[in-house]
Amino acid sequence: MRKAATRKQRRMMIVGVGFASFALVVGLTLFALEDGINVFYGPTEVVEKAIEPGTKFRLGGLVEEGSVAKSGATTTFRVTDMKSSVQVAYTGILPDLFREGQGVVTQGKLDDAGLFVADEVLAKHDENYLPPEAVEAMKRAGTWKHTEEGAEATQ
């Protein structure tokens, strides 16, 4: 014959089920948001940190002068923060405003050889604009300065 659960046991069971439900909801939410969370790094941070190949993140800085090369539909270029640079490969049509010496934010993954394979490239809006993420990365690298006229420039 089975004993009826006491009030304390019922209360503990309700608390346990509530906790398990909460943990399940948090776990499912984090799983669903995993692809939507993109960490931003500058080139110096990519070089200094051991970012695992296949980890999706955003890379921003300036398109290094003289680094753009096209081979069919694939364009390779280097993104720099004036301290370090990272080689990027992108297959597709680049934004009209993409050019050397201008700000860019790319999204993609590092391959096993350390090449950043971008699946998206975002270019700056006008000659005085640099993406805020790129400015922050350059500030962290110690290569950012702001000119007196209000335009943003690098050292």
Side-chain angles (χ1 to χ4, degrees):
M1 193 190 291
R2 190 170 164 202
K3 279 186 176 181
T6 65
R7 291 175 87 196
K8 185 176 182 180
Q9 289 172 331
R10 282 193 303 263
R11 213 174 314 149
M12 291 303 291
M13 191 179 311
I14 290 170
V15 168
V17 169
F19 180 75
S21 298
F22 178 74
L24 180 66
V25 167
V26 168
L28 289 174
T29 301
L30 290 175
F31 179 75
L33 292 175
E34 184 176 358
D35 287 338
I37 298 173
N38 287 318
V39 178
F40 181 88
Y41 294 114
T44 299
E45 294 167 308
V46 172
V47 170
E48 291 175 352
K49 293 183 180 189
I51 299 172
E52 283 197 35
T55 303
K56 192 170 192 170
F57 64 96
R58 286 184 170 206
L59 168 69
L62 299 173
V63 179
E64 191 173 278
E65 295 285 340
S67 70
V68 178
K70 281 189 141 296
S71 176
T74 301
T75 303
T76 58
F77 56 94
R78 298 186 68 77
V79 173
T80 183
D81 59 9
M82 308 311 254
K83 185 175 179 183
S84 300
S85 60
V86 174
Q87 185 74 23
V88 177
Y90 176 70
T91 302
I93 299 171
L94 289 165
D96 291 338
L97 299 172
F98 177 88
R99 59 182 162 273
E100 294 177 352
Q102 298 298 320
V104 68
V105 174
T106 60
Q107 181 173 295
K109 303 173 185 176
L110 285 174
D111 68 6
D112 292 331
L115 175 70
F116 186 80
V117 180
D119 52 28
E120 184 177 10
V121 174
L122 306 170
K124 56 99 183 158
H125 294 93
D126 65 29
E127 67 276 355
N128 294 326
Y129 177 78
L130 192 61
E133 297 97 339
V135 171
E136 287 303 314
M138 292 174 79
K139 285 179 180 176
R140 288 191 298 265
T143 59
W144 173 256
K145 77 174 188 178
H146 192 76
T147 64
E148 291 179 33
E149 297 104 32
E152 297 161 346
T154 59
Q155 291 180 347

